[in-house]
Amino acid sequence: MSRTTVDVDPGGQPPPEDDTAFFGQPKGLLTLSGLEVWERFSFLGMQAILVLYFADTVAHGGMGMSAGTAASVSAAYGTLVYLVSVAGGWLADRMLGSYRAVLWGGILIACGHYSMAVPTSTMTWVGLGLISAGTGLLKPNVATMVGKLYRTDDDRRDAGFALYYMAINIGAFAGPLITGWLGDHKGWHWGFSAAAIGMTFGLIQYVMGRRHLAGRRHSAEFALAPDSPTLECARAGGPPPHRAVRLIVVGVVAVAVAAALAAAVGWLTMDRFVDLLTLISVIAPVVYFAVMFRSPRVTSDERGRLKPYIVLFLASTVFNFILFQAYSTMMLLASTNAETTILGFDFPASWYASALGAFEVGLAPFVAALWVRMGHRQPHASNKIAIGVVLGGLSFLLMVLPTSGHSGDDYLMSAWWIVGSYFLLGLGDILLETSGMSATTKLAPVAFSSQTMSLWFLSLALANGIQAQTVKLYDDVSKPAYFGVNGAIAVAAGLAVMAAAPWLRRTMHPVH
């Protein structure tokens, strides 16, 4: 069943007067951006203290892991989140529709954060599982819904994604401030409670603003219609959506029970689980690209646009390998080797994560205004992405300077080093993610619209999967070597994408 069957129908479109109601953008962008404010508040607020919670002593309310293990497990969690996004895109395309997929995803995320508010290790793992499932449903489909607000040739699209990404980073800025203060002063689980409340607010405003969204009507409302998902699934020989969802739930529960039993007998250790997720993160995008290239539902023109998309996918992987360490190795470095005082004000180390969100909030409007002003003269999407990757690499290379020349870890660097690194990383993130998500919605084959956005998120899964292995070296090599090698690789990758720009411009039409 094509996405069009579920999401694009006359009764599911926003009112015509919504098209320019939000700073010249569709009003639905406000609803979706508002949801992402609170989703990122909860997700990144929790992420900012998660690695510190893992690494803290049991006596102080933490999990007692070593720094390298804490960073590896945190990265493995990120891998799981973005791997599940494939299932989220498939469910939206085939059964639920984008609106309902996002709604149920948000509910699962809220339940996961409420679970983590319970101060037991068991509920921590249960909560992380629920958040992974919910984020997999929500993230790819929110971005797809943003794309559906615009025509393919609408010059406002990149600016709209920039505003959307600015909203994401309002949550990314505010989340660590609240959860970090609570975690530092009241306890880690108080911080997780704040994340739960934030996600609840996001769900409320999403439901209240649903009339401004395309594709808000759900398959169940068309159960008796000639083109309903139930009838179409039956024509295809597959189970109806209700039964398929039940089968998925049963399958997930069965896998969870099997994993618990394997862990109980000692076969499934944490290290093996991390390694398994890394392996899946490598295999999944290879299989997914192969399926899309071979699918009879993908036209030859669409197949031609998938080839340059592989380059964008790999560029995203390299950049996000650096970006996600803002919440793992950089947090660990800040907690042990960075001053936590600026202009006489003391703050929790987790507040450094808010600097990244603050820069993106501040820079996104300027980037959006620049693209609108330049119109068709703006740089090609591939060049924006390449510059973003180079900036990500430079953010790590910058950290070589303050970490060099020390024989041990008994030193404190100025807070401005990490702030400067996050500035470069934030600007790179705006350039890469907004252009990447926008390009994804335009390059996606019609039959795989939500699933192509899921494929974009698989680049994030792969980045986390690779990170889950490399951060194990954080305790074993010098800090200058760790940050220098990783940063140099990212810079080289960005320059390689720039070199491929002429071919990318030819093959990425209609993306400009």
Side-chain angles (χ1 to χ4, degrees):
M1 179 180 65
S2 71
R3 177 183 173 82
T4 304
T5 305
V6 178
D7 284 342
V8 182
D9 62 272
Q13 296 301 300
E17 63 271 17
D18 280 359
D19 190 55
T20 58
F22 176 55
F23 294 105
Q25 302 285 340
K27 196 169 185 178
L29 183 64
L30 176 62
T31 298
L32 296 174
S33 298
L35 173 65
E36 279 286 25
V37 167
W38 290 109
E39 190 275 333
R40 289 292 92 179
F41 173 95
S42 62
F43 184 84
L44 293 178
M46 182 270 289
Q47 190 87 344
I49 63 175
L50 184 64
V51 69
L52 301 177
Y53 165 64
F54 284 155
D56 201 2
T57 62
V58 174
H60 197 256
M63 299 285 280
M65 299 180 185
S66 68
T69 300
S72 181
V73 173
S74 180
Y77 158 68
T79 305
L80 183 61
V81 165
Y82 294 111
L83 282 174
V84 176
S85 69
V86 176
W90 184 85
L91 284 170
D93 273 345
R94 299 289 176 258
M95 300 178 195
L96 299 176
S98 294
Y99 172 78
R100 191 60 61 93
V102 169
L103 177 63
W104 282 107
I107 291 171
L108 287 175
I109 292 170
C111 290
H113 286 300
Y114 282 116
S115 298
M116 292 188 69
V118 180
T120 67
S121 59
T122 298
M123 293 307 292
T124 293
W125 301 121
V126 169
L128 290 175
L130 290 172
I131 295 168
S132 298
T135 306
L137 272 174
L138 185 146
K139 284 298 289 181
N141 295 307
V142 173
T144 299
M145 291 176 76
V146 172
K148 292 293 183 182
L149 296 173
Y150 302 92
R151 299 182 307 276
T152 300
D153 59 350
D154 194 331
D155 285 336
R156 299 178 302 164
R157 178 185 287 256
D158 279 13
F161 269 99
L163 290 173
Y164 165 71
Y165 212 65
M166 180 185 70
I168 287 177
N169 286 292
I170 292 174
F173 166 71
L177 292 179
I178 304 300
T179 61
W181 188 89
L182 289 171
D184 195 59
H185 291 79
K186 299 294 183 181
W188 302 118
H189 298 281
W190 281 90
F192 300 145
S193 298
I197 295 171
M199 192 64 237
T200 303
F201 284 146
L203 282 171
I204 292 171
Q205 74 86 38
Y206 176 66
V207 173
M208 292 179 64
R210 64 188 181 276
R211 67 183 295 268
H212 306 298
L213 306 175
R216 63 189 179 275
R217 296 177 66 173
H218 174 246
S219 58
E221 298 172 354
F222 298 98
L224 300 179
D227 59 348
S228 71
T230 301
L231 291 180
E232 186 154 340
C233 286
R235 292 176 190 137
H242 313 41
R243 182 183 172 193
V245 171
R246 285 196 297 269
L247 290 174
I248 291 171
V249 172
V250 170
V252 169
V253 172
V255 170
V257 171
L261 292 174
V265 301
W267 183 86
L268 184 62
T269 63
M270 183 60 69
D271 284 341
R272 286 177 177 172
F273 183 66
V274 170
D275 293 343
L276 177 62
L277 287 178
T278 298
L279 180 62
I280 295 173
S281 73
V282 173
I283 295 174
V286 173
V287 171
Y288 222 87
F289 269 115
V291 168
M292 293 174 69
F293 271 106
R294 298 177 62 181
S295 173
R297 295 182 297 155
V298 176
T299 68
S300 59
D301 287 343
E302 291 174 334
R303 195 171 292 112
R305 289 192 291 270
L306 281 177
K307 293 178 182 178
Y309 190 69
I310 295 175
V311 176
L312 305 189
F313 177 92
L314 294 175
S316 173
T317 300
V318 173
F319 176 81
N320 283 291
F321 169 77
I322 301 292
L323 177 68
F324 288 128
Q325 292 192 62
Y327 300 95
S328 58
T329 56
M330 290 289 284
M331 281 291 96
L332 293 169
L333 181 67
S335 67
T336 57
N337 297 109
E339 294 179 354
T340 52
T341 301
I342 290 183
L343 302 177
F345 177 75
D346 294 326
F347 59 91
S350 56
W351 278 20
Y352 276 111
S354 288
L356 182 59
F359 284 129
E360 298 196 21
V361 170
L363 292 170
F366 292 100
V367 173
L370 178 63
W371 299 156
V372 170
R373 183 178 181 84
M374 295 183 71
H376 283 292
R377 295 181 291 108
Q378 63 189 271
H380 190 262
S382 63
N383 282 327
K384 297 176 188 176
I385 290 170
I387 295 170
V389 177
V390 170
L391 289 172
L394 291 176
S395 75
F396 258 35
L397 289 177
L398 180 64
M399 299 311 300
V400 173
L401 299 176
T403 57
S404 297
H406 302 286
S407 57
D409 287 335
D410 55 344
Y411 66 92
L412 289 178
M413 70 180 75
S414 168
W416 297 109
W417 287 108
I418 294 181
V419 171
S421 176
Y422 279 4
F423 173 81
L424 295 172
L425 195 58
L427 180 57
D429 195 27
I430 292 171
L431 294 175
L432 183 136
E433 291 297 338
T434 56
S435 300
M437 288 190 295
S438 178
T440 297
T441 61
K442 289 185 276 189
L443 293 173
V446 173
F448 290 87
S449 57
S450 283
Q451 294 175 76
T452 306
M453 187 58 71
S454 297
L455 184 57
W456 178 255
F457 286 109
L458 274 183
S459 70
L460 279 60
L462 180 57
N464 271 299
I466 297 171
Q467 181 197 163
Q469 303 302 319
T470 58
V471 293
K472 295 177 182 178
L473 300 173
Y474 182 76
D475 290 327
D476 301 326
V477 302
S478 69
K479 301 300 186 291
Y482 183 86
F483 290 108
V485 171
N486 288 331
I489 291 173
V491 170
L495 294 176
V497 176
M498 289 183 186
W503 175 75
L504 290 169
R505 280 194 295 268
R506 289 196 308 270
T507 56
M508 285 176 62
H509 181 77
V511 178
H512 54 77

